[in-house]
Amino acid sequence: MGQVMEGHRLASEIRGRVRQRVDSLRDNNGIEVGLGLMVVGDNPASVQYFQATVNIAKGVHINTYQYRMPASVSLNEILNTICDINRDERINGLLVLFPLGRKINPRRVVNAILPEKDIDGLGSVSVGRLAAEESTFQIFAHDIPRATRERQFLPQQADYLPCTPSSFLPCTPFGVIRLLEFYGVQLRGKNAVVIGKSLAVGKPLAMMLLAKEATVSVCHKATADLRAYLRNADIVCSAAGVSGLIRGDMIKDGAVVVDIGINVQQDGRVVGDVDFDEVLQRASLVTPVPGGVGPVTIATLLENTVRSAQSNALLNSPLLIAP
Ligand SMILES: NC(=O)c1ccc[n+]([C@@H]2O[C@H](COP(=O)([O-])OP(=O)(O)OC[C@H]3O[C@@H](n4cnc5c(N)ncnc54)[C@H](OP(=O)(O)O)[C@@H]3O)[C@@H](O)[C@H]2O)c1
């Protein structure tokens, strides 16, 4: 029988550190940390996530700026609003919730967010920096001093800059890596299977596991024999959004199973992709849904927001200090 890999303890530790940093920025530098949230239409899952994030942000003293757009909103209106948010000094990061509606191209929207405010790391610049291993220093935070790692990606002439440029890792896959490490799971040399190849979850998670030197297979709908991959997997991360996809007899004894899926059942219950009770019998560690990856995702988003505020170029400016 395996152990439950719950996310609340890690999430609470992260939120505690975030609250301290937010308070310190306010008290010592006069900077209030602000998070922008945008939702289009009334998709129940998005609205629920929006509200949960607003409440948790309040708990760590981050101000929220809420943009609730009707389903009829045009792409141009969204882009204009993002331009305003990019210029708004009060907002350090913007989270856009998906889906946006059929007429709106999500890539146009995420690419309009300044990389410095792209706290969910979905714009092309953030994705490119992850692929080029220019932002993966964040997943090695415990091994290598962050400042040293960040500086190596700065152009030579930027030595005088008072701060380092930011880019952010997508919160859900980054949260998965942190949860695995929190539970002491070694990634180097392990066979990892990621189910799902979306830009928000599957692909960046595969890249992060690869950066950690796991041997990674990415499965998707066209994968001919999912069982064959799972049979050899030391670590399984499922982000398909299909309830009951992973059964107990599909995984190897002692595997570590991370369930990222969120599926709302007809009776309102929220379940993941994994048959939790069956898998717990064979796995060494399994995340529950809810209460596994979800809380760590939101805590990581808030941490990215305060990190964005901390790298604000004004932070070291004498103009911030009252005469
Ligand atoms: N816990 C959290 O904090 C959190 C955060 C974000 C998302 N989520 C949840 O994670 C899940 C995935 O999110 P997403 O944004 O990545 O969704 P998505 O864009 O719909 O991607 C789903 C991926 O799963 C693959 N897939 C679907 N059915 C499959 C099957 N039967 N076998 C193998 N692969 C299959 C799809 O393959 P194709 O590419 O071939 O279509 C696709 O790559 C959702 O349930 C979402 O609600 C959770």
Side-chain angles (χ1 to χ4, degrees), residues 2-33:
Q3 188 193 345
V4 179
M5 194 165 29
E6 64 89 30
H8 287 296
R9 203 153 50 95
L10 172 60
S12 156
E13 276 184 20
I14 297 171
R15 287 197 308 267
R17 284 197 297 270
V18 168
R19 196 185 308 111
Q20 278 178 0
R21 284 151 74 180
V22 171
D23 291 348
S24 161
L25 278 171
R26 187 196 53 233
D27 298 341
N28 300 324
N29 305 91
I31 290 179
E32 297 265 348
V33 181

Side-chain angles (χ1 to χ4, degrees), residues 208-225:
M208 290 179 208
L209 289 165
L210 204 52
K212 287 280 188 184
E213 296 184 324
T215 303
V216 185
S217 307
V218 182
C219 299
H220 42 82
K221 278 186 193 151
T223 299
D225 189 354

Side-chain angles (χ1 to χ4, degrees), residues 49 172 195-202 219-223 226 238-242 245 259-263 273 293-295 297-298:
Y49 189 77
T172 301
I195 305 165
K197 60 174 168 59
S198 73
L199 208 51
V201 188
C219 299
H220 42 82
K221 278 186 193 151
T223 299
L226 180 61
S238 186
V242 178
L245 182 67
D259 192 352
I260 304 159
I262 297 176
N263 308 293
D273 294 351
V293 175
T297 296
I298 297 184

